[in-house]
C-alpha cells in the first residue's frame, strides 16, 4: 500500500461521520453552510439571477419574451429610448417631488416621536409598541384602507365624515383636481407606515448618549432646546445619516401606495407615476417590453447608487 493511500485511510478513520460532526461544534464551516446555504441558494435563484437576466434583456428587443434571439440585439438603444422618453423623465420628477417632502417630514416626525417616547416615564414600552405597530402592516393593505375607508372620496368616507361634522364641504380625494388631493392621501399613508420604524432607530441612538452629558449641560443652564441642539443632534449624527439614506432609497422604491391607491392611471397626469410604477407598466403591461423595462431598471439602480454615494460623501461620519 502506498503512503498516499495509507494517509487517506488514517484521515478518514480519524474524521468522525457527518452525523456526529453535526451534533458537535468541531466543524464550524459545515455548520455555516447548513444554516446559510438554503438562504444563499434562494438569494441566488430569486434575486441575483433575475437581476443579471434583466441586465441582459436590457440590450435586446425583448417584447413578450424573456429569451430574445441574437438578431434582436440593440445594444444601448433601449437606454437611449428610456432617457429620451418624457414619461420616464416625468416619473423621475415624481420621485424628486415625493422625496423632497416625504424625507424631511418623516425624519422630523420620527425624531420628535423618539425624543418624546424616550423621555416618557410611564408606559414607555406601550407607546413604543403603539407607534411601531403600523410597521407590521402590509403596504398593500394600508393603501386599500386609505383608499376605500378613510379617503374614499364619498360622504361615507372617514375623512369626509369628519369634515361634515365641522360643516365643511366634502373633498374628492382621489380625483384629478386642483390641488391634487391624492398626494395627501399617498403621503399620509406612507407616514403612518414608516414613522414607527425610524422612531425605533432614533430611540436606539438616544440610548447610546450618556445621561451625564445632560446633567453637566443643565448645570451650565443648557436645558430644553439648547441641550437638544448642543448634545442630542450632534451625537445622533450617525443615526441621522443612516435614517436619511434609508428614507431616500425607500422613496425611490415607492410603488404600493401609488399603484393601489390610484389603481388605474387613466386620467391622472404622468407625474402621478413614480419610476417603479412606470417600469411595472412598461415591462408587465400589454406590450410586455422587457428590454425597455430592464434598461429603465438599470438606469434607476444607477441613479439610486449615485445618490447614495454622493449622500454618503457629503455626510460621511467617523467610525
Amino acid at each position: 500500500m502506498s503512503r498516499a493511500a495509507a494517509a487517506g485511510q488514517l484521515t478518514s478513520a480519524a474524521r468522525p461521520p457527518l452525523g456526529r460532526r453535526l451534533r458537535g461544534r468541531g466543524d464550524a464551516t459545515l455548520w455555516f453552510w447548513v444554516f446559510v446555504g438554503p438562504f444563499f441558494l434562494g438569494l441566488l435563484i430569486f434575486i441575483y439571477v433575475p437581476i443579471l437576466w434583466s441586465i441582459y434583456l436590457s440590450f435586446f428587443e425583448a417584447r413578450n419574451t424573456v429569451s430574445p434571439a441574437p438578431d434582436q440585439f440593440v445594444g444601448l438603444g433601449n437606454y437611449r429610448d428610456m432617457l429620451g422618453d418624457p414619461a420616464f423623465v416625468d416619473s423621475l420628477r415624481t420621485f424628486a417631488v415625493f422625496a423632497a417632502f416625504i424625507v424631511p417630514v418623516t425624519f422630523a416626525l420620527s425624531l420628535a416621536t423618539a425624543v418624546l417616547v424616550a423621555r416618557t416615564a410611564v408606559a414607555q414600552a406601550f407607546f413604543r409598541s403603539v407607534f411601531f405597530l403600523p410597521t407590521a402592516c402590509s403596504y398593500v393593505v394600508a393603501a386599500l384602507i386609505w383608499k376605500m375607508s378613510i379617503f374614499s372620496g364619498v360622504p361615507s368616507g372617514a375623512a369626509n365624515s369628519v369634515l361634515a361634522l365641522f360643516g365643511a364641504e366634502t373633498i374628492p380625494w382621489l380625483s384629478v383636481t386642483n390641488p391634487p388631493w391624492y398626494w395627501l392621501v399617498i403621503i399620509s399613508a406612507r407616514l403612518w407606515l414608516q414613522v414607527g420604524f425610524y422612531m425605533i432607530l432614533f430611540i436606539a441612538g438616544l440610548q447610546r448618549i450618556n445621561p451625564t452629558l445632560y446633567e453637566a449641560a443643565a448645570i451650565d443652564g443648557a436645558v430644553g432646546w439648547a441641550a437638544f441642539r448642543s448634545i442630542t443632534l450632534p451625537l445622533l449624527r450617525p443615526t441621522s445619516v443612516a435614517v436619511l439614506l434609508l428614507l431616500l432609497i425607500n422613496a425611490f422604491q415607492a410603488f404600493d401606495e401609488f399603484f393601489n391607491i390610484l389603481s388605474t392611471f387613466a386620467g391622472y397626469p404622468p407625474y402621478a407615476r413614480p419610476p417603479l410604477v412606470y417600469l411595472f407598466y412598461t415591462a408587465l403591461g400589454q406590450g410586455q417590453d422587457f428590454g425597455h423595462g430592464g434598461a429603465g431598471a438599470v438606469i434607476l439602480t444607477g441613479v439610486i447608487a449615485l445618490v447614495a454615494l454622493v449622500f454618503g460623501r457629503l455626510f460621511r461620519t467617523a467610525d
Side-chain angles (χ1 to χ4, degrees):
M1 182 183 296
S2 64
R3 292 184 178 181
Q9 288 184 357
L10 291 174
T11 302
S12 60
R15 190 176 183 85
L18 178 62
R20 186 179 301 174
R21 285 155 54 200
L22 288 176
R23 290 192 295 269
R25 299 181 180 179
D27 200 332
T29 304
L30 178 62
W31 275 111
F32 172 82
W33 286 110
V34 166
F35 286 101
V36 176
F39 172 77
F40 176 76
L41 185 62
L43 194 67
L44 181 67
I45 295 174
F46 297 107
I47 302 295
Y48 293 129
V49 171
I51 289 175
L52 294 176
W53 196 253
S54 177
I55 297 174
Y56 171 78
L57 291 176
S58 68
F59 298 101
F60 287 84
E61 184 66 27
R63 294 180 182 271
N64 299 308
T65 180
V66 293
S67 55
D71 60 350
Q72 294 177 302
F73 180 79
V74 295
L76 299 176
N78 290 329
Y79 291 89
R80 288 193 297 267
D81 294 342
M82 293 301 294
L83 292 175
D85 185 1
F88 182 68
V89 176
D90 284 337
S91 71
L92 295 177
R93 292 196 186 103
T94 299
F95 155 74
V97 174
F98 183 68
F101 186 85
I102 198 67
V103 171
V105 172
T106 306
F107 180 89
L109 288 178
S110 302
L111 179 58
T113 307
V115 171
L116 292 175
V117 172
R119 293 182 178 179
T120 301
V122 180
Q124 187 177 118
F126 169 77
F127 288 110
R128 287 187 187 181
S129 302
V130 168
F131 286 112
F132 185 75
L133 189 60
T135 315
C137 182
S138 167
Y139 272 63
V140 176
V141 173
L144 292 177
I145 293 174
W146 251 245
K147 174 184 177 181
M148 302 176 68
S149 297
I150 301 178
F151 298 99
S152 61
V154 296
S156 59
N160 281 332
S161 298
V162 173
L163 291 176
L165 291 177
F166 294 94
E169 296 183 359
T170 59
I171 296 176
W173 298 103
L174 302 179
S175 299
V176 184
T177 58
N178 192 11
W181 292 106
Y182 54 84
W183 276 101
L184 178 62
V185 180
I186 292 171
I187 289 174
S188 62
R190 173 157 281 237
L191 288 175
W192 182 79
L193 284 164
Q194 65 180 15
V195 164
F197 173 76
Y198 297 107
M199 177 202 72
I200 295 297
L201 297 183
F202 277 123
I203 288 178
L206 289 171
Q207 290 177 343
R208 297 175 58 185
I209 300 177
N210 194 336
T212 57
L213 296 176
Y214 293 102
E215 296 174 2
I219 295 175
D220 294 334
V223 294
W225 170 250
F228 179 80
R229 182 184 58 191
S230 303
I231 299 175
T232 306
L233 281 181
L235 295 180
L236 276 181
R237 184 176 178 181
T239 304
S240 300
V241 172
V243 168
L244 286 173
L245 185 58
L246 289 174
L247 284 171
L248 277 173
I249 295 175
N250 286 335
F252 266 114
Q253 297 174 341
F255 176 82
D256 295 302
E257 311 95 303
F258 287 87
F259 184 80
N260 291 286
I261 290 178
L262 301 183
S263 31
T264 176
F265 285 86
Y268 285 95
Y271 56 77
R273 301 185 184 187
L276 284 185
V277 175
Y278 174 79
L279 295 177
F280 175 84
Y281 280 107
T282 299
L284 299 177
Q286 294 181 351
Q288 291 192 347
D289 191 349
F290 298 109
H292 286 93
V298 173
I299 293 173
L300 181 60
T301 303
V303 172
I304 295 175
L306 179 62
V307 170
L309 180 62
V310 172
F311 185 86
R313 289 297 182 93
L314 291 176
F315 297 94
R316 182 170 52 189
T317 58
D319 294 334

